[in-house]
Amino acid sequence: MKLNYEWNQHVIDISEDEVLNDIEFSIKVLTPSHFDDMKSIQKVFESNDDITDVLVYTYTNHEYRVIVRKDYYVDFILQLMKNQLLTKVEWKKELP
């Protein structure tokens, strides 16, 4: 099963790449009403006991590079959804 997601392109620009045992996201928040959402997501992961689960690097103009360990991928995607940065999240069966 693969986790697929969709987003409103007027709210964020997002891309992801697999790098070794991590998933790296490039995220740019485009809508002022969502500017604080990435900070909220960062606080969620900083407040747990695992310091290497999700690393958020903040850049100018509300751009972020986020490195997510594969075992926290679903948690991170669900946090994006919870903060309304994604519009849809669903499991899809992968074709052989």
Side-chain angles (χ1 to χ4, degrees):
M1 300 282 282
K2 180 174 176 13
L3 187 62
N4 289 342
Y5 56 87
E6 296 176 8
W7 62 95
N8 181 334
Q9 295 179 355
H10 299 291
V11 173
I12 66 168
D13 182 26
I14 185 170
S15 64
E16 70 175 70
D17 288 311
E18 187 172 337
V19 179
L20 299 174
N21 291 324
D22 300 322
I23 307 295
E24 290 190 16
F25 289 86
S26 293
I27 299 172
K28 181 169 183 170
V29 181
L30 305 171
T31 306
S33 62
H34 289 281
F35 283 167
D36 289 334
D37 291 335
M38 284 302 298
K39 291 176 189 170
S40 298
I41 293 168
Q42 182 175 8
K43 286 179 184 175
V44 166
F45 290 102
E46 285 179 349
S47 68
N48 69 18
D49 292 336
D50 194 343
I51 61 171
T52 63
D53 53 357
V54 174
L55 302 173
V56 179
Y57 298 93
T58 306
Y59 298 97
T60 58
N61 298 323
H62 308 284
E63 293 183 41
Y64 302 87
R65 183 169 147 242
V66 183
I67 301 171
V68 179
R69 270 195 358 225
K70 284 185 183 178
D71 53 333
Y72 281 90
Y73 179 82
V74 172
D75 295 334
F76 179 70
I77 295 298
L78 292 177
Q79 281 298 320
L80 291 173
M81 182 70 174
K82 181 179 177 183
N83 284 274
Q84 300 178 357
L85 294 174
L86 301 178
T87 57
K88 182 178 182 180
V89 175
E90 69 178 341
W91 289 105
K92 289 261 183 157
K93 198 171 215 176
E94 292 185 81
L95 301 175

